[in-house]
Amino acid sequence: MVKPFKHTRAAFAFMAVLFLLLVILDSLIFFWERDVLFEESYNQTQNELELIGTFVTEPLLRQEFTIVEQFMNHWGELKEDVISLKAFSPDGSLFAEYKRPFKISESFTKNHSVEFFGQHLLDLEITKDLSPAIHHLRDFKQRLVFQSLLITIIIGILLWFVLGFLSIKPLETEIEKRMQAEKNLQMAHDRLEELVEARTRELREANIELHNEIYEKYKIQEELLKAKKLESVSVLAGGLAHDFNNILAAIMGNISLALLYTDHDDKRHKLLAEAEKASLRAKDLTQQLLTFSKGGEPVKTLASIEEVIRDSANFVLRGSNVQCKYHFTKDLWPVEVDSGQISQVIQNIVINARHAMPDGGIIDVTCENYDKTQKDRLLTQADSYLKITIQDNGVGMPPKLLDKIFDPYFSTKREGSGLGLAICHSIISKHNGYIKVESVQGEGASFIFYLPALKGQQPAEQLAKETFQIIGSGKALVMDDEEMIRDLAGEMLSYSGYRVVFSKNGEESIDFYKKEMETGIPFDFVILDLTIPGGMGGKEAIKKILQIDPKAKVIVSSGYSNDPVMANYKEYGFSGVIAKPFQLKNLQKTINSVFVDDQ
């Protein structure tokens, strides 16, 4: 017979080994729980710092420092785990501080720099309490140890009873039972190893999945923050562009009128022409701001692409050690494009080429007529195109970056936003074109894009040289909430031979149109501002005017040139469109096109 002492010793030995295995497993689980908990705290703190930076940026720009300090105190009181929140000015001095009156032994500190379009505004430092997390981990560890101890005791007691039951058997039976028990024990051991391995694998997979979920959540929050910032810029850009376009409209319009009253040989004529060209560049800049912030459908007009390319490239290279060489095929086909948006494409690509050649160099710009072939499967919108190639001799790009180069927020430059080439891709796509990049690292890069062309029509260089001046007659109604725009439009239309009636909003325009219809001599055409703050705009007013006179010729005008109504004006009942600011020749062309299309 086997002595009970030996059974007890075996049971205790097994319990010790089992308890050791469980403790090792508990340690792995504990460290995993600790890493996850601390990672979540750090990520949450970083997101809070970025959110605080977003909220205080606008007051800082307005120099409302009291609001910044009040917001920091409110944030500290609201978040119970915040021990201190400090703001430092760019020179390192303490700008504002929130601090709880009691001290915490377990804490951590995170820092964040707040910048606005490259301007360093301030540095934020936050210290948060880690005591809740530490207490949670201690309780979690105690539960794991207690569970392991309980499992070991239960298995040990069961084993002791089994061995005790075997001790009362005959020796032969005991030997047989012992062999069977050893076999069972080995199987249990193997099974336990399998379970431990399976559990470890499950925990590892769960850890990876949780890490991926946390990372995805962080990326989503990051993208939302970018979207909110972009939306804020969009609202600001729209308002600034509209107000600036109204002011610019008065400047450009008066310059164009002054040019008509000035002899070509007069020195003042050259100065006015330069001022007009600078005003047109300012107009393109406002359009770029709108395209950057909101996008929008292109407002297409027949244009000379050569002039757009030269002006855009020369503008961004002015004062740099990089220059362009132009290669334009004779008799280029004309294209219908939004000149402001295509100008932005040229500028973004040329700026990238300039950055790729810090020591200077040559950018080759080639423009040629191109007929689609069977190999051009990606050119699906037309049969004839203009092919524009912009090639530099800079550092080039590795192959792995070529597929990502047009992705939003992808940038190889530390100071880049990652939006420039994404906007280029969006603009070319909305023009029913196609853009691609070819590059060999160390040998430069070539950006190639195709724009649908009007083959068989007047060559582009003749279009660029064409002058246009129309003197008409009749009666016009002009609606705009800005007095200087009304006065300018009145001067231009009076110069062009029209009598002008003005209105400030849609309600006045409808009343004027009704009265003129009753006299039997209606307005020959109407120009409506699309947006009237606090009143009826052109989109609503045209519905009423067309009810009064279905044959009314109505032109829509707006400083928001990326509004869908401007791109698809005929769908809303308008006969023509003109974007502010505009020149006299643009206004005359638009009026002429309205009457020509009606014939």
Side-chain angles (χ1 to χ4, degrees):
M1 302 295 291
V2 181
K3 295 181 180 180
F5 175 77
K6 291 185 177 180
H7 297 312
T8 304
R9 185 173 60 184
F12 275 111
F14 178 81
M15 291 171 61
V17 173
L18 179 62
F19 183 74
L20 181 60
L21 290 174
L22 292 174
V23 167
I24 293 174
L25 183 60
D26 292 343
S27 298
L28 294 175
I29 297 174
F30 172 79
F31 288 130
W32 171 78
E33 176 71 11
R34 184 194 65 182
D35 293 343
V36 171
L37 190 60
F38 284 176
E39 184 68 17
E40 289 179 349
S41 299
Y42 295 151
N43 289 338
Q44 182 181 358
T45 302
Q46 185 63 35
N47 292 337
E48 289 179 5
L49 283 173
E50 293 177 356
L51 188 59
I52 292 172
T54 302
F55 280 119
V56 304
T57 297
E58 184 176 355
L60 280 172
L61 294 175
R62 296 199 304 260
Q63 297 186 353
E64 297 176 349
F65 305 116
T66 304
I67 295 178
V68 175
E69 186 173 4
Q70 291 175 353
F71 176 80
M72 291 178 59
N73 289 331
H74 178 69
W75 185 276
E77 292 294 339
L78 185 64
K79 302 292 183 177
E80 297 180 356
D81 58 343
V82 174
I83 299 174
S84 67
L85 180 59
K86 300 178 181 179
F88 297 90
S89 59
D91 61 358
S93 60
L94 184 63
F95 174 70
E97 180 181 13
Y98 168 81
K99 191 172 184 181
R100 289 194 182 276
F102 53 88
K103 295 184 178 179
I104 302 297
S105 59
E106 302 290 343
S107 63
F108 72 96
T109 301
K110 294 283 286 185
N111 298 283
H112 176 66
S113 294
V114 179
E115 298 183 354
F116 182 77
F117 286 96
Q119 179 183 358
H120 185 189
L121 299 181
L122 81 165
D123 295 308
L124 295 173
E125 178 184 287
I126 188 169
T127 303
K128 300 188 73 175
D129 183 13
L130 271 179
S131 299
I134 299 300
H135 293 325
H136 171 76
L137 289 174
R138 288 173 182 169
D139 294 339
F140 183 74
K141 184 176 181 181
Q142 290 175 358
R143 288 197 301 271
L144 289 176
V145 174
F146 175 78
Q147 292 172 2
S148 299
L149 183 60
L150 182 61
I151 291 172
T152 303
I153 292 173
I154 293 174
I155 294 178
I157 292 174
L158 292 175
L159 182 61
W160 188 85
F161 275 106
V162 170
L163 294 176
F165 177 77
L166 291 174
S167 66
I168 64 175
K169 299 292 184 181
L171 185 57
E172 295 81 2
T173 306
E174 183 178 351
I175 294 174
E176 183 181 349
K177 296 276 187 181
R178 178 176 292 183
M179 292 176 63
Q180 185 63 37
E182 290 178 356
K183 184 179 180 180
N184 292 338
L185 184 61
Q186 183 62 41
M187 292 176 62
H189 181 268
D190 294 341
R191 178 59 179 164
L192 182 61
E193 285 186 347
E194 292 177 1
L195 291 174
V196 171
E197 183 179 354
R199 181 59 177 162
T200 303
R201 184 169 58 253
E202 291 176 0
L203 290 174
R204 188 183 301 111
E205 292 174 354
N207 184 30
I208 294 174
E209 183 178 355
L210 182 60
H211 176 76
N212 291 337
E213 289 180 359
I214 293 173
Y215 179 75
E216 288 299 323
K217 183 178 180 181
Y218 171 76
K219 293 299 292 182
I220 291 173
Q221 290 175 343
E222 191 178 52
E223 293 302 319
L224 287 174
L225 184 60
K226 288 180 180 178
K228 289 180 180 178
K229 290 180 179 178
L230 194 60
E231 183 178 359
S232 300
V233 174
S234 170
V235 174
L236 178 63
L240 288 176
H242 179 265
D243 294 340
F244 186 68
N245 276 341
N246 282 339
I247 298 172
L248 197 59
I251 297 173
M252 287 178 57
N254 284 298
I255 290 176
S256 64
L257 286 172
L259 282 170
L260 294 173
Y261 293 120
T262 307
D263 189 72
H264 281 271
D265 297 330
D266 195 325
K267 291 183 179 180
R268 289 171 294 184
H269 189 278
K270 182 178 180 181
L271 296 175
L272 288 171
E274 289 296 322
E276 184 180 42
K277 193 171 183 179
S279 299
L280 289 171
R281 176 56 56 194
K283 173 185 175 182
D284 290 342
L285 288 176
T286 60
Q287 179 60 34
Q288 288 182 34
L289 186 59
L290 285 170
T291 305
F292 166 78
S293 61
K294 277 285 191 184
E297 295 295 329
V299 181
K300 300 177 184 178
T301 57
L302 201 61
S304 167
I305 198 68
E306 179 177 348
E307 182 179 354
V308 173
I309 293 174
R310 286 185 184 273
D311 290 347
S312 303
N314 292 338
F315 178 75
V316 296
L317 293 179
R318 191 170 299 163
S320 71
N321 57 355
V322 177
Q323 62 177 342
C324 276
K325 283 189 176 180
Y326 301 101
H327 313 277
F328 294 99
T329 302
K330 290 184 178 181
D331 298 332
L332 285 173
W333 298 326
V335 289
E336 282 190 339
V337 296
D338 186 319
S339 298
Q341 290 191 4
I342 297 301
S343 173
Q344 186 175 1
V345 172
I346 301 298
Q347 290 186 29
N348 287 344
I349 296 176
V350 171
I351 287 173
N352 277 1
R354 186 186 68 188
H355 289 166
M357 299 184 294
D359 297 327
I362 301 295
I363 300 174
D364 288 301
V365 181
T366 304
C367 185
E368 56 188 326
N369 299 326
Y370 185 83
D371 284 313
K372 184 179 71 171
T373 64
Q374 293 182 350
K375 297 180 180 179
D376 300 316
R377 297 181 179 179
L378 295 176
L379 302 179
T380 59
Q381 301 299 321
D383 294 325
S384 301
Y385 292 83
L386 280 189
K387 179 182 178 182
I388 298 98
T389 305
I390 302 176
Q391 182 177 10
D392 63 67
N393 56 0
V395 296
M397 291 175 285
K400 64 180 181 180
L401 298 183
L402 295 182
D403 292 336
K404 301 179 181 179
I405 198 69
F406 296 112
D407 290 350
Y409 305 117
F410 177 81
S411 176
T412 58
K413 296 175 289 186
R414 182 176 302 177
E415 71 278 7
S417 67
L419 288 173
L421 293 178
I423 290 176
C424 292
H425 187 277
S426 174
I427 290 174
I428 297 301
S429 297
K430 289 179 179 178
H431 280 77
N432 296 322
Y434 173 68
I435 185 171
K436 64 180 180 178
V437 60
E438 297 175 354
S439 178
V440 177
Q441 194 165 10
E443 298 182 12
S446 296
F447 285 85
I448 305 165
F449 61 94
Y450 301 83
L451 294 172
L454 303 175
K455 184 177 181 180
Q457 294 196 19
Q458 184 180 17
E461 62 267 20
Q462 294 182 20
L463 181 68
K465 297 176 182 178
E466 178 182 324
T467 58
F468 203 86
Q469 184 171 347
I470 295 177
I471 302 299
S473 62
K475 183 168 54 175
L477 173 62
V478 176
M479 180 192 81
D480 200 290
D481 60 309
E482 292 284 347
E483 183 178 1
M484 60 180 176
I485 302 299
R486 295 196 301 270
D487 293 343
L488 173 65
E491 288 290 335
M492 288 183 171
L493 292 173
S494 296
Y495 177 86
S496 301
Y498 299 100
R499 291 178 291 110
V500 188
V501 177
F502 300 106
S503 64
K504 300 178 181 179
N505 52 55
E507 291 86 354
E508 285 188 2
S509 301
I510 295 168
D511 290 339
F512 286 151
Y513 206 94
K514 282 182 180 178
K515 292 178 181 178
E516 295 300 314
M517 282 293 292
E518 291 172 356
T519 64
I521 309 175
F523 290 105
D524 293 277
F525 63 91
V526 181
I527 300 177
L528 297 180
D529 189 6
L530 182 61
T531 305
I532 300 293
M536 181 187 293
K539 184 178 177 181
E540 295 78 17
I542 189 173
K543 297 177 183 178
K544 302 291 185 181
I545 292 176
L546 291 177
Q547 290 177 1
I548 300 171
D549 181 10
K551 297 182 179 180
K553 297 178 179 64
V554 185
I555 300 170
V556 61
S557 174
S558 178
Y560 293 105
S561 58
N562 64 337
D563 192 289
V565 177
M566 299 290 286
N568 307 293
Y569 61 93
K570 290 187 178 180
E571 297 179 7
Y572 295 87
F574 293 101
S575 304
V577 60
I578 186 167
K580 292 187 288 187
F582 49 80
Q583 299 169 280
L584 175 61
K585 62 181 181 181
N586 302 128
L587 181 61
Q588 291 178 337
K589 284 183 180 180
T590 301
I591 296 171
N592 181 64
S593 66
V594 168
F595 288 98
V596 169
D597 291 343
D598 190 54
Q599 292 177 358

